[in-house]
Every structure is written in C-alpha cells, then in structure tokens.
Amino acid sequence: MKKSVEIFERNWSPIGVFDSGVGGVSVLKALQSALPNESFIYAADSGNAPYGDKSKAFIEARTSAMASFLAGANAKAIVVACNTATVVAVKTLRAHYPIPVIAMEPAIKPATQISRSGVVGVLATARTLESPALANLCRLYGTSVKILLQPCPGLVEQVERGDLETEATHQLLRRYISPLLAGGADTLVLGCTHYVFLLAHIRRIVGPDITIVESSAAVARQLERRLAEIRKLSEGTRRSETKFFTTGPVNQSRAVISELWGESVHVQAIDISDIHIKI
Ligand code: DGL
C-alpha cells in the first residue's frame, strides 16, 4: 500500500520545461496537448535571452542553473525546449540528472523526406547551426537533399518583446527566408522554438506551397515514451496545473507569455537563491 502511494505521489510531480526565454512556450503547448493529465513548470530565462550569440560557457552555466531550478521544484523529467541549449549542454545535463532529459532536434530528417525540390532550408540560431550535432544531422540526412542553413540574428529578441507582427520582424523574416526560397527550398525547418510563434507571419511570406516543419510534437511523443518506460505518467486523478517562472522582468514576461499561451497567466520571478547547484 505504502509503495503504491509513493508511486502515485511521484507520478504527480510536475514536468519541468525551460528555454532561453518565451520560445519554449511553443513546445509547452504541444506537451500539454499530448499529456493533458500532467502538470508543468515552465521556466523562461528571459533575463539572459538570447542564448544564440553567447559563448558556450555562458550557455552551459545558464542551462545548468535553469535545470537545477526545475530539479529543485521536484520535476520528474526535464524538457530542454531550446535548440541552442540542447546542442551546447544536453550531454552535461543527462550525465548529471537521473531523471529523463528530453531535448530538441531540428526537424531535418522529416524535412528531407518531405522535400520534392530536393532543397531544405533551416532557420536557427548561429550557435545551433555551427554545432557538431547539426553537422551530424546534415551528414545523415543531407546525402541526396541539399540543406541550406540560415542563421537569424535578432528574431529571438523580436519574439521576446512579443513583436510577432511588426514591420521590423517582417524585414528580418524576409531577409532570412528570401535566400532559402531563391536557393530552391520547398521545405523550411524552424530550428528554434521562438520561431514557431512566427509561423503565421512566415506562412504569409512564403505562400501556401512551402512546407514548414518543427519538432514540438515529436518532443511530446518522446517525453510520453520515456515517462511510460519508467512508469511515471500521471494517473490523471488530480487537477493538472501549469506554472510559469521567469528570470526577466515579471510584468513584461507575463504580458508576452500570456499572449503566446493564448490566455492570461500568472508569472513568478525565479528566486536566484533557489539556483545554487552548479554542475
Ligand atoms: N528558443 C531558443 C532555441 O530554440 C532560442 C535560443 C536563443 O535564445 O538564442 O534555440
């Protein structure tokens, strides 16, 4: 009896999700829709976004701090809802934490299978695009398909401000997408979780004939698989809840996360004193 109560309690632990900022909310949406019985804690490192143009040491340190905040909140799994943090630090996190650490992978594999023109364009941060993990994906899936890589400086900042539809965002998107279309790409990979919130805008720019892929649904499936394997899926007998935290200015984060999440949410400041475990 005692054991089953313990398992029940463990299964009710939340799933921790973090990103350099608000972009991972796009992943959180997919996770919550795939696993409606689960509770989530979302931590946005908006006080330190963007990660994409920072040093590896900086990204390692921030990733370690965010993961330790989530582990301290009793997370039963951690989802790294950031492609940039994944390529820099996921191995370190997996070595350190005994719980499942689920991470992002740009959807290059499905894109190369979908493309009929034989050209795929990848939009991501410079840090993601120059990583060995990305080079490996290109080596594996880019043998018969050409893969064009496009870094997008400035886009994460636009999403962090909630500027999804402004002229400045439009100019940036046109600048980054045009060379991909000119190069013959018929499939675009959104290799940064922030860019998913620009999907409607990107669709207007590229028209109906270009396929746009991203990986949040695949991450949700992987999370579900891993939790099922270790028998930690929630029983669904309690009300699930989603809590939001930020390292950035709380009012700004609340406004932007509410807009992206689609309803007004409460956002709490991450107490820096909670983050003391250094990997
Ligand atoms: N959402 C992050 C990603 O998927 C953005 C990285 C950044 O802050 O530059 O890469």
Side-chain angles (χ1 to χ4, degrees), residues 61-78:
R62 291 311 310 161
T63 299
S64 138
M66 299 306 281
S68 111
F69 169 73
L70 295 172
N74 200 27
K76 64 182 173 184
I78 291 174

mmCIF file of all heavy atoms in Angstrom, residues 61-78:
data_model
loop_
_atom_site.group_PDB
_atom_site.id
_atom_site.type_symbol
_atom_site.label_atom_id
_atom_site.label_comp_id
_atom_site.label_asym_id
_atom_site.label_seq_id
_atom_site.Cartn_x
_atom_site.Cartn_y
_atom_site.Cartn_z
ATOM 1 N N ALA A 61 26.401 27.437 -18.332
ATOM 2 C CA ALA A 61 26.116 27.897 -16.959
ATOM 3 C C ALA A 61 24.628 28.191 -16.784
ATOM 4 O O ALA A 61 24.009 27.810 -15.780
ATOM 5 C CB ALA A 61 26.947 29.134 -16.647
ATOM 6 N N ARG A 62 24.028 28.847 -17.783
ATOM 7 C CA ARG A 62 22.603 29.174 -17.673
ATOM 8 C C ARG A 62 21.744 27.914 -17.721
ATOM 9 O O ARG A 62 20.769 27.773 -16.990
ATOM 10 C CB ARG A 62 22.167 30.141 -18.800
ATOM 11 C CG ARG A 62 22.732 31.542 -18.708
ATOM 12 C CD ARG A 62 22.571 32.146 -17.357
ATOM 13 N NE ARG A 62 21.192 32.040 -16.858
ATOM 14 C CZ ARG A 62 20.847 32.154 -15.581
ATOM 15 N NH1 ARG A 62 21.757 32.361 -14.656
ATOM 16 N NH2 ARG A 62 19.576 32.049 -15.208
ATOM 17 N N THR A 63 22.120 26.993 -18.602
ATOM 18 C CA THR A 63 21.354 25.749 -18.735
ATOM 19 C C THR A 63 21.398 24.975 -17.424
ATOM 20 O O THR A 63 20.385 24.445 -16.955
ATOM 21 C CB THR A 63 21.951 24.917 -19.888
ATOM 22 O OG1 THR A 63 21.828 25.693 -21.080
ATOM 23 C CG2 THR A 63 21.237 23.615 -20.093
ATOM 24 N N SER A 64 22.576 24.950 -16.835
ATOM 25 C CA SER A 64 22.737 24.247 -15.568
ATOM 26 C C SER A 64 21.893 24.910 -14.472
ATOM 27 O O SER A 64 21.243 24.245 -13.666
ATOM 28 C CB SER A 64 24.235 24.217 -15.244
ATOM 29 O OG SER A 64 24.475 24.480 -13.919
ATOM 30 N N ALA A 65 21.844 26.237 -14.471
ATOM 31 C CA ALA A 65 21.046 26.953 -13.466
ATOM 32 C C ALA A 65 19.552 26.678 -13.658
ATOM 33 O O ALA A 65 18.824 26.427 -12.683
ATOM 34 C CB ALA A 65 21.324 28.452 -13.550
ATOM 35 N N MET A 66 19.092 26.707 -14.894
ATOM 36 C CA MET A 66 17.663 26.505 -15.143
ATOM 37 C C MET A 66 17.255 25.075 -14.784
ATOM 38 O O MET A 66 16.208 24.842 -14.172
ATOM 39 C CB MET A 66 17.318 26.804 -16.612
ATOM 40 C CG MET A 66 17.614 28.223 -17.050
ATOM 41 S SD MET A 66 16.862 29.484 -16.003
ATOM 42 C CE MET A 66 15.180 29.469 -16.596
ATOM 43 N N ALA A 67 18.093 24.114 -15.176
ATOM 44 C CA ALA A 67 17.773 22.709 -14.875
ATOM 45 C C ALA A 67 17.770 22.492 -13.369
ATOM 46 O O ALA A 67 16.920 21.762 -12.839
ATOM 47 C CB ALA A 67 18.778 21.788 -15.554
ATOM 48 N N SER A 68 18.674 23.150 -12.676
ATOM 49 C CA SER A 68 18.728 22.930 -11.234
ATOM 50 C C SER A 68 17.525 23.570 -10.539
ATOM 51 O O SER A 68 17.018 23.039 -9.543
ATOM 52 C CB SER A 68 20.082 23.363 -10.699
ATOM 53 O OG SER A 68 20.000 24.469 -9.928
ATOM 54 N N PHE A 69 17.029 24.667 -11.079
ATOM 55 C CA PHE A 69 15.781 25.247 -10.556
ATOM 56 C C PHE A 69 14.623 24.246 -10.705
ATOM 57 O O PHE A 69 13.850 24.009 -9.766
ATOM 58 C CB PHE A 69 15.451 26.548 -11.298
ATOM 59 C CG PHE A 69 14.069 27.057 -11.015
ATOM 60 C CD1 PHE A 69 13.750 27.628 -9.787
ATOM 61 C CD2 PHE A 69 13.067 26.949 -11.971
ATOM 62 C CE1 PHE A 69 12.460 28.075 -9.520
ATOM 63 C CE2 PHE A 69 11.770 27.393 -11.711
ATOM 64 C CZ PHE A 69 11.473 27.951 -10.487
ATOM 65 N N LEU A 70 14.544 23.624 -11.878
ATOM 66 C CA LEU A 70 13.438 22.676 -12.131
ATOM 67 C C LEU A 70 13.589 21.416 -11.277
ATOM 68 O O LEU A 70 12.605 20.907 -10.730
ATOM 69 C CB LEU A 70 13.382 22.322 -13.620
ATOM 70 C CG LEU A 70 13.024 23.497 -14.538
ATOM 71 C CD1 LEU A 70 13.192 23.116 -16.002
ATOM 72 C CD2 LEU A 70 11.597 23.986 -14.278
ATOM 73 N N ALA A 71 14.825 20.930 -11.175
ATOM 74 C CA ALA A 71 15.040 19.735 -10.340
ATOM 75 C C ALA A 71 14.690 20.067 -8.891
ATOM 76 O O ALA A 71 14.096 19.255 -8.175
ATOM 77 C CB ALA A 71 16.491 19.266 -10.458
ATOM 78 N N GLY A 72 15.042 21.282 -8.463
ATOM 79 C CA GLY A 72 14.718 21.720 -7.099
ATOM 80 C C GLY A 72 13.211 21.820 -6.880
ATOM 81 O O GLY A 72 12.730 21.754 -5.751
ATOM 82 N N ALA A 73 12.460 21.986 -7.963
ATOM 83 C CA ALA A 73 10.991 22.027 -7.871
ATOM 84 C C ALA A 73 10.406 20.625 -8.032
ATOM 85 O O ALA A 73 9.221 20.467 -8.291
ATOM 86 C CB ALA A 73 10.430 22.961 -8.940
ATOM 87 N N ASN A 74 11.272 19.601 -7.915
ATOM 88 C CA ASN A 74 10.828 18.209 -7.894
ATOM 89 C C ASN A 74 10.332 17.697 -9.249
ATOM 90 O O ASN A 74 9.448 16.838 -9.316
ATOM 91 C CB ASN A 74 9.722 18.044 -6.833
ATOM 92 C CG ASN A 74 9.555 16.607 -6.420
ATOM 93 O OD1 ASN A 74 10.515 15.845 -6.507
ATOM 94 N ND2 ASN A 74 8.355 16.232 -6.022
ATOM 95 N N ALA A 75 10.925 18.228 -10.332
ATOM 96 C CA ALA A 75 10.492 17.780 -11.666
ATOM 97 C C ALA A 75 10.823 16.302 -11.858
ATOM 98 O O ALA A 75 11.889 15.841 -11.459
ATOM 99 C CB ALA A 75 11.182 18.614 -12.743
ATOM 100 N N LYS A 76 9.881 15.556 -12.487
ATOM 101 C CA LYS A 76 10.144 14.133 -12.747
ATOM 102 C C LYS A 76 10.809 13.942 -14.103
ATOM 103 O O LYS A 76 11.280 12.848 -14.421
ATOM 104 C CB LYS A 76 8.852 13.321 -12.665
ATOM 105 C CG LYS A 76 7.808 13.661 -13.712
ATOM 106 C CD LYS A 76 6.549 12.816 -13.495
ATOM 107 C CE LYS A 76 5.433 13.256 -14.432
ATOM 108 N NZ LYS A 76 4.191 12.531 -14.171
ATOM 109 N N ALA A 77 10.832 14.992 -14.911
ATOM 110 C CA ALA A 77 11.554 14.984 -16.190
ATOM 111 C C ALA A 77 11.841 16.436 -16.538
ATOM 112 O O ALA A 77 11.141 17.339 -16.065
ATOM 113 C CB ALA A 77 10.708 14.352 -17.287
ATOM 114 N N ILE A 78 12.892 16.633 -17.324
ATOM 115 C CA ILE A 78 13.211 17.996 -17.767
ATOM 116 C C ILE A 78 13.166 18.027 -19.288
ATOM 117 O O ILE A 78 13.756 17.164 -19.953
ATOM 118 C CB ILE A 78 14.611 18.428 -17.270
ATOM 119 C CG1 ILE A 78 14.587 18.597 -15.748
ATOM 120 C CG2 ILE A 78 15.060 19.727 -17.944
ATOM 121 C CD1 ILE A 78 15.944 18.892 -15.132
#
